[in-house]
Amino acid sequence: MSPAYPFSAVVGLADLRLALLLNAVSPVIGGVLVRGEKGTAKSTMVRALAALLPAIAVVPGCRFACDPAAPDPSCPDGPHAGAASSTRPARLVELPVGATEDRVVGTLDVQRILTEGTKAYEPGLLAAAHRGALYVDEVNLLPDHLVDLLLDAAAMGRAFVERDGVSLRHAARFLLVGTMNPEEGEPRPQLVDRFGLVVEVSAPAEATERAEVVRRRLAHEADPSAFAARFADADAATAERIVTARARLPKVALPDAVLVRIARICLAYGVDGLRADIVIARTAVALAAWRDRPTVTDQEVDDAARLALPHRRRRDPLDPPGADQQALDDALAQARAADPPPEPDDDPGPGGSGGGPRPDDDPGPGGSSGGPGPDEPRPDGPGGADVAPDAEDRPGGAPAAPPPSAAPVGAAYRTRTLTARSRGRHGHSGRRSPAYAARGRVAGSRAPRGRIGAVHLPATVLAAAREAGHGTLEVRARHLREAVHIGREANLVLFVVDASGSMAARARMATVKRAVLSLLRDAYQRRDTVGMITFRDTDATTVLRPTASHEVGVRRLADLRTGGRTPLAAGLTAAARTLVGERRRDPLRRPLLVVVTDGRHTRGPDPRTVAPALAGVPTVVVDCESGPVRLAMARTLAAALDAEYLPLAALDAAAVRAV
């Protein structure tokens, strides 16, 4: 097997390099989330970290990597009192996006438990990652039920397996590293908050850096062993520095004045909760240990804040993600202004006071002594980036600001829950429409189909009793029955919005935009994917292809302009084409079509002629007709589509309750 790409060979990525190294020094920081476009060496850098992690002492034969000096009392392979000790490398375990729940937490062989009376347990990925690192590529695409498992393990440092009255638990403390491409949607805020540090990376903007990336990549492909040998000394020095910093960590002093300064920064930045304060303090201590300083200084606090705060300020899940750099700079400046002046004889240790210059860290490959080293955060926000082997050109810039003629979008409100009326079958876990699922309310039992899921004990015992008659009751494998659960699924919510001249009254369109914004927020909370089609003038336009990036939908909604005739049939036809394509791409995700219109059509065929193309698609028609004279054409359209009809005012759940 050819050697992996060396950690020290990656060009640039100063912030990411530092964040990974600090977590290697102090895993209690809480891990790293790496945000960046495709082809920016996110995965390359993370996988290269594995070779630098210090070796760990384990109990021989323990599948849960128990420390001989402090074994886990509840270890399923224990007890380990007086056990021998052996050393092995720390593991970097990868959690695939498509992993099953049993693969993550481990599985109990319920059939053997019932028929043989033995507790047969096969450890999962959380057990394999204990005292090592757990890497999740495309963490934003991780299914909700796996996100819940990660949140529980990250919060408690333990994994729990509970099925059919059988309970088992084991230690699961690991360095959590996730990478994601923001173009593919944002992860849940609860998961993002669990990451101690967040780093944004982008492709190098300098031609010389890009050329060096390509040069090194080609050299690695031509002779991986020789290329690894070139950087072996640099990697070994970094690994030794991690070990030294770990040993120095307990001796670093964290003065009370520094803690007060951290609190001022967090208050000024407007974060919720106290996790940010704790993470900044831990990161600042790790930075001081990494820089060989006996005391945390203001410089460590500022650098730690730039890594720990940017992802903790989003007040609304549909706010654009990323750092508000000006707000962060203002918070640091405000805290700095509130600091008391230093005593003339203050000596915080090597490097002088926090306001003075700090000693240069070893620049290493890709660094330079004239600027931030490879392990220093850059003062102007996210650092540079490397380009992975599959590097591609950078996508276009952010969407333009809403044009002056666009109607404003008001504040969202809580909407009535729109659902598909029929029951789905084993779709994507979510919170919208009812569906048969792996978890949820037990609605019955059935004979197992393949590997058994949750055992339905009453039905199992009843099947054995029927066969036994008046004889001895014995449960055999053929008697097993699994539970049938009814839960909730996530849907593809496709909005078809009328943007024609009949909607052009500014106040009216603002009301419609507010309603669609509220539905977008509801789709985010219920884990749906969303798409948006508008129709006006001569044709329909897909302004948002189905995606999990709900905040992109908010931006496109703000840009929506009105005018022209009403090609309602074209909008419905475009929706039918989109749903056919999505059904091929993801057959498990059921659609929910939401048509926002007054029902009028002034261009093209009668929209009722499109109804056969949408047969069987759960649909809701939201009637936005207003004024003293109403034609009720939206109600007629709903009848033709076999859709649920809903006046616009009925979307607001609070208003309906008030009535």
Side-chain angles (χ1 to χ4, degrees):
M1 192 170 77
S2 60
Y5 200 88
F7 187 85
S8 302
V10 179
V11 179
L13 290 171
D15 287 357
L16 175 55
R17 187 188 307 271
L18 178 61
L20 291 174
L21 291 173
L22 292 179
N23 274 274
V25 171
S26 178
V28 296
I29 288 174
V32 185
L33 175 62
V34 189
R35 298 168 48 89
E37 59 207 20
K38 50 187 175 291
T40 48
K42 303 184 297 292
S43 301
T44 301
M45 191 75 162
V46 173
R47 292 188 176 105
L49 175 70
L52 305 183
L53 295 176
I56 60 173
V58 297
V59 174
C62 178
R63 298 172 296 169
F64 303 88
C66 279
D67 185 352
D72 180 12
S74 61
C75 176
D77 286 352
H80 297 307
S85 175
S86 64
T87 302
R88 67 162 173 80
R91 293 172 179 164
L92 176 70
V93 177
E94 297 196 30
L95 194 161
V97 171
T100 63
E101 182 174 338
D102 285 351
R103 183 72 186 96
V104 175
V105 298
T107 179
L108 288 168
D109 191 335
V110 180
Q111 182 171 330
R112 287 183 60 190
I113 292 173
L114 287 177
T115 58
E116 301 176 15
T118 60
K119 183 182 288 189
Y121 175 70
E122 185 64 30
L125 296 177
L126 295 181
H130 179 48
R131 302 178 65 203
L134 182 67
Y135 172 46
V136 188
D137 194 12
E138 305 297 348
V139 67
N140 51 325
L141 304 182
L142 202 64
D144 278 349
H145 66 286
L146 298 187
V147 170
D148 293 336
L149 295 175
L150 279 184
L151 289 175
D152 290 343
M156 296 179 285
R158 308 193 71 80
F160 296 85
V161 182
E162 298 192 18
R163 285 183 55 186
D164 306 297
V166 180
S167 179
L168 184 144
R169 62 193 65 194
H170 62 82
R173 293 183 297 274
F174 46 79
L175 164 59
L176 181 61
V177 182
T179 57
M180 59 168 285
N181 182 354
E183 296 174 354
E184 297 171 339
E186 293 294 321
R188 287 167 56 180
Q190 298 95 325
L191 180 59
V192 175
D193 190 56
R194 289 293 178 187
F195 286 96
L197 310 179
V198 169
V199 177
E200 297 203 26
V201 297
S202 59
E206 297 293 333
T208 53
E209 284 190 39
R210 298 177 75 98
E212 180 61 21
V213 170
V214 176
R215 188 179 299 114
R216 294 188 181 188
R217 186 66 210 180
L218 294 177
H220 177 261
E221 292 175 351
D223 191 344
S225 298
F227 184 79
R230 281 176 52 191
F231 295 93
D233 290 343
D235 271 8
T238 303
E240 179 61 30
R241 190 174 175 187
I242 291 174
V243 174
T244 304
R246 278 192 178 185
R248 191 183 298 126
L249 194 66
K251 305 173 186 176
V252 175
L254 183 63
D256 286 344
V258 172
L259 285 174
V260 172
R261 187 169 192 274
I262 291 172
R264 288 198 190 105
I265 292 173
C266 293
L267 289 171
Y269 195 62
V271 299
D272 295 325
L274 291 170
R275 184 171 284 120
D277 305 59
I278 296 171
V279 171
I280 292 176
R282 289 171 172 169
T283 306
V285 171
L287 267 169
W290 180 253
R291 294 169 178 167
D292 194 12
R293 290 180 174 172
T295 304
V296 174
T297 69
D298 290 351
Q299 186 63 58
E300 278 76 58
V301 172
D302 289 356
D303 291 345
R306 294 184 189 280
L307 293 172
L309 284 183
H311 62 298
R312 304 184 188 278
R313 197 170 189 261
R314 290 178 72 185
R315 296 296 187 178
D316 189 288
L318 296 182
D319 286 344
D324 185 343
Q325 193 59 46
Q326 185 58 51
L328 181 55
D329 291 340
D330 291 344
L332 294 175
Q334 183 176 335
R336 196 175 299 117
D339 288 342
E343 296 292 336
D345 57 347
D346 273 354
D347 182 12
S353 66
R358 56 179 163 165
D360 291 334
D361 282 331
D362 183 11
S368 66
S369 59
D375 52 2
E376 298 298 330
R378 302 191 176 183
D380 56 351
D386 197 357
V387 178
D390 57 345
E392 298 181 20
D393 291 339
R394 186 171 185 168
S405 59
V409 181
Y413 51 78
R414 182 180 178 186
T415 66
R416 172 179 172 178
T417 303
L418 307 181
T419 63
R421 285 178 285 187
S422 59
R423 185 174 293 165
R425 291 188 174 274
H426 302 287
H428 295 275
S429 176
R431 298 180 178 178
R432 184 172 295 278
S433 301
Y436 293 106
R439 295 183 297 177
R441 177 175 57 86
V442 177
S445 64
R446 66 185 179 194
R449 301 173 182 176
R451 184 175 181 176
I452 192 169
V455 173
H456 194 292
L457 279 177
T460 298
V461 174
L462 183 60
R466 284 172 179 161
E467 183 176 305
H470 296 290
T472 303
L473 179 65
E474 293 185 4
V475 177
R476 303 293 184 186
R478 63 180 177 273
H479 302 140
L480 291 175
R481 299 293 182 267
E482 64 180 357
V484 176
H485 297 273
I486 295 179
R488 294 279 172 177
E489 68 175 359
N491 297 108
L492 161 59
V493 181
L494 181 61
F495 297 96
V496 179
V497 182
D498 187 347
S500 64
S502 65
M503 306 286 293
R506 189 173 180 86
R508 185 179 180 192
M509 195 60 204
T511 303
V512 170
K513 282 188 173 184
R514 186 185 179 203
V516 176
L517 173 65
S518 303
L519 290 170
L520 279 170
R521 179 199 290 273
D522 182 68
Y524 172 86
Q525 294 171 340
R526 298 183 187 280
R527 315 293 183 251
D528 299 315
T529 57
V530 295
M532 189 183 301
I533 296 171
T534 62
F535 57 93
R536 62 184 286 265
D537 201 12
T538 61
D539 205 356
T541 303
T542 302
V543 297
L544 180 66
R545 295 191 178 278
T547 177
S549 296
H550 300 77
E551 63 276 1
V552 178
V554 174
R555 294 200 297 269
R556 302 289 169 82
L557 180 66
D559 293 344
L560 184 61
R561 304 176 70 177
T562 60
R565 305 184 74 178
T566 312
L568 177 53
L572 297 177
T573 302
R577 285 198 303 265
T578 299
L579 294 178
V580 168
E582 288 301 306
R583 191 175 295 118
R584 293 196 191 102
R585 191 181 68 85
D586 188 356
L588 293 179
R589 189 178 293 274
R590 286 199 300 162
L592 177 61
L593 182 63
V594 180
V595 183
V596 184
T597 180
D598 57 9
R600 302 179 187 181
H601 58 281
T602 58
R603 188 180 186 92
D606 189 321
R608 290 175 292 184
T609 62
V610 188
L614 294 170
V617 176
T619 305
V620 178
V621 175
V622 179
D623 186 1
C624 50
E625 187 176 31
S626 61
V629 179
R630 306 195 180 191
L631 304 179
M633 299 182 71
R635 186 183 290 274
T636 303
L637 176 66
L641 296 176
D642 190 23
E644 180 183 356
Y645 170 80
L646 202 63
L648 183 63
L651 271 181
D652 189 339
V656 172
R657 283 197 303 271
V659 172

